[in-house]
Amino acid sequence: MWTTREYLTGFIFMCLAVAISSSDVKLIDNKYDGTVIALSPYLYENKSTASSDIGNIINKIQVFLTRGSESLFEVTKKKTQLGKVTILIPKSWKPSSENWNFLPGVKVHSPEIELYQLADIFIEPKGGVFGDMPHTLQYRGCGIPGKYIQITKTYLSELESLTANHPKFKSGGQAFARQWAKYRYGVFDEIGYANDIIYPLYYGIPGKRESIYVTSCTNTNVSYKVQDSSGEECEPSVKLNNGRPNGNQCFHTPDEDNENVLSSFMYHYLLPNANNFCDNGDNPHNDKAPTKQNVLCFGKSTWEIIEQNSDFKETKDVGNAVTFPEIRYVQEEDMRIVIAIDWTDKMNEYISSYKTSCQLFRTIPSSSRH
């Protein structure tokens, strides 16, 4: 039998687990409010000499969010966009009472409930195994939100050159919307990966060596350049027994003139008009391709999963009323936790329903205490 102290200890830990397990982002009037973007304290080692560079990166974040909100608005059929966003500045940087040279005219506030550990998007110095392209950590299954989105300083720094090379890139807006779809709605890529047995770049029908298809989901045929990793022309082949790539990997790069390709946004968002998710209508879903979406969502289309999300139960079209995200800046402070427990004779009932009986004020900055 547990002692009262053991019950109390377990109760507190359960309350903490509930409080730190999910995002605070809420959809209000078709806008996502509460998104927190955390700047890594390791973006710059010498803050006093990096002010102009920090300002440049923050400006790029602002453009990235604005274009991302526009793209999100488009691909969700004018139902969602970004609203209030908080950029969380590391507490190890200059205190907000000093002159923030990289944020002229911008007031830096004390945090309310923002915590670095609970951020929705992290801005890191450089990428890891996924490189510098934006990515979402998601391991919770189909239709379940991801853990967080990661963007790197290198990626933001190269946005201008990326946009110059791809006019439809829109300063990374599609990249943001694509990651947000993974993070918020729990959908997955509809592409293949080099040397991946489960999600190959292309596939064939076992027993038919001549039938080769690109791992994708598109409303019509796509024209490609087919090259190997060195840029030489490549002839894809598959194994007869399982239809998986045989030998050297061939990469299919879509030509820029694929104007009739309208989907899928989770396949290749740099195609000029691919601003739709695959669905069961005008942008038919390819349930035969070995994509993450098919494997992890049991063959259901991305739009089918997105429509099931609670965000879309009460949303309605809002015309062309896309607006700029409202960005607020706060500086991280030491976390203070206060736990209030309703101690009564029915404590066991409260323990069994701790999600509703536990009250946790996650952050009470020292500056706001009375």
Side-chain angles (χ1 to χ4, degrees):
M1 295 294 292
W2 280 16
T3 65
T4 301
R5 176 178 293 180
E6 288 171 331
Y7 269 119
L8 179 59
T9 301
F11 181 63
I12 291 174
F13 276 109
M14 287 188 292
C15 292
L16 286 169
V18 170
I20 66 175
S21 62
S22 61
S23 167
D24 282 326
V25 177
K26 294 179 176 61
L27 187 66
I28 301 175
D29 295 330
N30 292 66
K31 294 183 179 181
Y32 287 110
D33 288 349
T35 304
V36 176
I37 301 177
L39 305 182
S40 169
Y42 304 107
L43 280 180
Y44 301 93
E45 294 182 3
N46 189 341
K47 292 24 168 228
S48 61
T49 61
S51 293
S52 61
D53 198 18
I54 294 174
N56 184 42
I57 289 298
I58 287 182
N59 286 333
K60 291 183 182 299
I61 293 173
Q62 293 173 336
V63 172
F64 184 67
L65 293 175
T66 300
R67 298 292 181 263
S69 185
E70 292 172 349
S71 183
L72 182 65
F73 186 71
E74 184 174 9
V75 299
T76 58
K77 307 181 189 297
K78 301 182 178 181
K79 293 182 184 297
T80 68
Q81 58 183 297
L82 291 180
K84 297 178 181 178
V85 178
T86 298
I87 294 182
L88 184 61
I89 297 170
K91 63 182 178 182
S92 60
W93 292 13
K94 289 181 179 180
S96 57
S97 60
E98 295 185 19
N99 179 26
W100 291 86
N101 295 324
F102 55 90
L103 287 173
V106 174
K107 183 175 178 57
V108 179
H109 303 270
S110 295
E112 294 176 356
I113 62 171
E114 297 87 3
L115 284 175
Y116 183 87
Q117 294 87 344
L118 296 181
D120 304 283
I121 303 172
F122 290 93
I123 309 297
E124 299 291 343
K126 56 184 179 180
V129 295
F130 298 100
D132 285 308
M133 289 301 292
H135 79 271
T136 300
L137 179 63
Q138 55 179 158
Y139 51 80
R140 297 168 171 173
C142 181
I144 303 175
K147 186 69 175 176
Y148 60 78
I149 299 171
Q150 177 177 295
I151 313 292
T152 70
K153 173 187 170 185
T154 302
Y155 173 80
L156 292 170
S157 300
E158 294 176 352
L159 270 180
E160 289 182 8
S161 61
L162 287 170
T163 304
N165 294 330
H166 300 281
K168 297 290 184 179
F169 195 74
K170 299 179 183 177
S171 297
Q174 298 100 324
F176 172 86
R178 180 186 175 106
Q179 299 308 317
W180 188 266
K182 298 178 186 180
Y183 175 64
R184 186 71 182 184
Y185 313 132
V187 296
F188 299 89
D189 285 331
E190 293 181 300
I191 59 175
Y193 307 95
N195 302 308
D196 194 309
I197 298 176
I198 301 176
Y199 313 114
L201 290 171
Y202 45 91
Y203 63 100
I205 299 174
K208 295 184 178 181
R209 200 183 294 275
E210 71 280 1
S211 300
I212 298 177
Y213 307 93
V214 178
T215 302
S216 63
C217 186
T218 59
N219 65 300
T220 188
N221 293 330
V222 180
S223 60
Y224 298 98
K225 293 184 180 70
V226 186
Q227 301 170 318
D228 60 22
S229 57
S230 63
E232 299 294 327
E233 289 188 7
C234 186
E235 185 68 32
S237 65
V238 296
K239 296 177 181 178
L240 192 63
N241 63 331
N242 62 9
R244 291 316 194 240
N246 182 29
N248 293 335
Q249 299 283 294
C250 294
F251 298 87
H252 294 71
T253 304
D255 296 327
E256 293 184 0
D257 59 352
N258 284 286
E259 299 287 340
N260 295 326
V261 181
L262 307 180
S263 62
S264 166
F265 192 69
M266 299 306 291
Y267 166 55
H268 209 297
Y269 57 84
L270 290 184
L271 289 170
N273 297 313
N275 295 316
N276 300 277
F277 294 100
C278 278
D279 53 31
N280 298 319
D282 294 335
N283 300 290
H285 176 60
N286 177 9
D287 61 0
K288 296 179 175 59
T291 64
K292 279 189 175 182
Q293 176 64 27
N294 278 332
V295 172
L296 299 177
C297 291
F298 305 100
K300 293 183 178 180
S301 71
T302 49
W303 187 246
E304 184 177 0
I305 299 301
I306 291 171
E307 278 195 310
Q308 294 173 358
N309 189 282
S310 59
D311 290 350
F312 289 82
K313 289 183 178 179
E314 298 181 3
T315 56
K316 58 182 180 180
D317 293 351
V318 290
N320 295 316
V322 60
T323 58
F324 293 110
E326 182 182 334
I327 301 177
R328 176 174 172 267
Y329 297 87
V330 303
Q331 185 178 24
E332 184 185 19
E333 294 183 358
D334 291 331
M335 183 179 69
R336 297 179 62 83
I337 297 177
V338 175
I339 298 177
I341 299 176
D342 187 357
W343 185 273
T344 69
D345 292 337
K346 294 186 177 181
M347 180 180 175
N348 286 337
E349 291 183 23
Y350 292 139
I351 291 175
S352 64
S353 59
Y354 65 88
K355 286 188 178 181
T356 57
S357 61
C358 173
Q359 303 174 52
L360 176 67
F361 299 91
R362 291 183 299 177
T363 51
I364 303 183
S366 58
S367 59
S368 63
R369 285 184 289 132
H370 299 286

